[in-house]
Amino acid sequence: MTRPATRDDLAALPVEVAPLLLGAHLETVVAGERVVLRLTEVEAYHGLGTGDRPDPGSHARSGPTARNATMWGEPGHLYVYLSHGIHSCVNVVCGPDGVAGGVLLRGGEVIEGTDVAERRRRERGGVVRAARDLARGPGRLGDAVGLRHPVHDGIDAVTGAERAGARARLFLPDEPVAATTGPRVGVAGIAGTDAFPWRFWIDGDPTVSAFRWGRGAAEAAR
């Protein structure tokens, strides 16, 4: 069972909120087409001045910019950014208004709207070999739910207010789901090592993405 997320649910630091998002449902309605995901893998990122130490892996590590402005706003909005000029990736903004942070949605299971999600993936040039791959990885997840940068950046997943023809809602599980933790995937340098065990996932779930080191992270971990 799930319940609608509130601002207060998301007002703590991202590293504290992130494990609470496991098992949560993200519902999107884009151009009248509905998809619902059960979240199985997430990563926390802190901005400049957030928490007790700098996070060199964060988009907001150096302060506010035009790109990361949503991360500095009130919790519950979605920070949608473009990765490698291709993929729109989705983050839940966490922390008090004015304190930058977000939780990247890395993987999930499509539980409603499978046909819509698969068609979106194929339209974006994706290859869908199995149902578990529909939203396995942040780029695939963004394509599956239909949220695009820049038009949907900042969409409110608490109120469900419409933005550029889309609505999003976040529903949290009534009971916490057991989380496994470890280094973030593909993050460069020290930020991608056990010094930042800010990736959280449901162990054994087939929709969780495979781990890979970021540039220089394996060397920094030694």
Side-chain angles (χ1 to χ4, degrees):
M1 299 293 291
T2 62
R3 59 173 180 81
T6 67
R7 305 268 185 234
D8 287 345
D9 290 326
L10 306 171
L13 296 180
V15 74
E16 298 167 346
V17 173
L20 305 180
L21 296 182
L22 295 177
H25 291 179
L26 177 66
E27 174 190 68
T28 63
V29 181
V30 182
E33 296 184 310
R34 180 172 178 264
V35 169
V36 182
L37 288 183
R38 178 182 65 93
L39 300 176
T40 60
E41 180 187 12
V42 298
E43 289 177 342
Y45 290 86
H46 288 188
L48 180 67
T50 303
D52 60 0
R53 56 185 166 140
D55 177 5
S58 171
H59 289 174
R61 61 186 176 274
S62 300
T65 66
R67 180 194 192 195
N68 66 34
T70 299
M71 293 182 73
W72 297 85
E74 66 180 350
H77 292 261
L78 301 183
Y79 168 48
V80 183
Y81 71 89
L82 196 63
S83 175
H84 302 296
I86 301 172
H87 300 294
S88 292
C89 299
V90 181
N91 301 253
V92 177
V93 175
C94 301
D97 191 1
V99 176
V103 176
L104 174 65
L105 307 184
R106 276 207 60 89
E109 175 193 11
V110 179
I111 58 175
E112 294 186 47
T114 300
D115 290 347
V116 173
E118 183 170 345
R119 191 198 73 239
R120 288 173 177 164
R121 287 282 323 283
R122 295 189 189 282
E123 286 175 348
R124 299 295 302 171
V127 176
V128 182
R129 295 185 176 87
R132 75 168 196 166
D133 292 327
L134 276 177
R136 185 172 180 247
R140 293 173 176 176
L141 187 152
D143 288 346
V145 300
L147 297 179
R148 305 301 305 163
H149 169 87
V151 295
H152 298 135
D153 180 32
I155 194 169
D156 192 342
V158 170
T159 66
E162 184 175 339
R163 188 182 187 96
R167 295 181 184 273
R169 291 296 306 274
L170 181 66
F171 299 87
L172 300 181
D174 289 332
E175 298 293 334
V177 174
T180 302
T181 68
R184 297 175 294 194
V185 177
V187 177
I190 191 70
T193 71
D194 282 328
F196 291 87
W198 290 359
R199 175 187 177 220
F200 303 85
W201 68 94
I202 300 175
D203 193 35
D205 193 289
T207 64
V208 173
S209 56
F211 178 76
R212 61 178 174 80
W213 293 107
R215 185 180 66 255
E219 294 78 8
R222 292 172 186 161

